Amino acid sequence: TPVADGHRGGLLSLGSVLASHAHAADSSPVRRGVFVRERLLCQELPPPPPDVDNTPPGLDPTLTTRERFAVHSSDPSCQSCHQFIDGVGFGFQAFDAVGRFRTEENALPVDTTGTVVGLEDQQAGSAVAFDGLGELSQVLASSRAARACLPAQFERYASGREEDEALAREIATLASRFDTSGGDLHELLLDLVRLPSFRYRSLAQ
């Protein structure tokens, strides 16, 4: 479907990505933030503490999604993890639960500003600010973590194998070549299909 309104571009604003990382009636900054962290930056997030209620805040027709999730910033037991998630997920707020563009939510203006805390190594303290998915995409595109994650995700998808020492070595090889190529996606795909593990299958004895 042609889109010429200037609101979309790249992976993050695809309807399939937006809708599949949301709830039925909620844009879910948490699900979208986790998607960026785990799938695009390859950063593992710890599970919530066992004594924390991780039920999303209920819908409220007088509040925006951002306001409903403010509890994550005020509660120390939530903030320790959600500082890495919500600031990223808020950048998606111009798109509702099914991926439709919007400028208002519940008759209130949508705020698409956010921060990526611990972009490269998930260490709190360093925060990169952005406004909207266009700027978030630029932040990710210039990130060392995202550049290292891309070859890993391609190799995991292509091999369909559980990650072990051998697969980790192949991922490291792909990442090194990808970096040497200056981030050339075409060369990455060629390097992937040249791997012995892609061309040969080990037979069980």
Side-chain angles (χ1 to χ4, degrees), residues 19 22 24 28 44 47 57 62 96 99 112 122 124 129-130 139 145 160 162 169 175 186 198:
S28 186
E44 293 187 15
T62 67
D96 68 8
T112 60
Q122 209 173 336
F130 66 89
V139 170
E162 291 187 14
R169 285 196 301 269
H186 182 261
F198 187 89

Side-chain angles (χ1 to χ4, degrees), residues 170-182:
E170 289 190 349
I171 289 173
T173 298
L174 282 178
S176 176
R177 292 176 180 172
F178 186 55
D179 192 55
T180 301
S181 75

Side-chain angles (χ1 to χ4, degrees), residues 36-127:
V36 171
R37 285 289 181 183
E38 294 186 341
R39 299 303 181 190
L40 303 184
L41 295 174
C42 291
Q43 295 176 350
E44 293 187 15
L45 296 166
D51 58 340
V52 170
D53 181 6
N54 60 357
T55 305
L59 297 176
D60 187 328
T62 67
L63 299 175
T64 65
T65 299
R66 190 185 194 106
E67 291 170 329
R68 290 191 296 110
F69 279 82
V71 65
H72 289 164
S73 300
S74 59
D75 187 337
S77 61
C78 298
Q79 199 266 345
S80 59
C81 289
H82 281 274
Q83 63 177 322
F84 299 108
I85 301 170
D86 294 14
V88 176
F90 289 145
F92 291 81
Q93 286 306 293
F95 298 92
D96 68 8
V98 295
R100 291 175 299 203
F101 180 78
R102 62 186 178 182
T103 58
E104 292 185 345
E105 180 185 8
N106 295 331
L108 298 170
V110 168
D111 182 356
T112 60
T113 59
T115 54
V116 187
V117 176
L119 175 62
E120 304 298 352
D121 55 10
Q122 209 173 336
Q123 294 297 314
S126 60

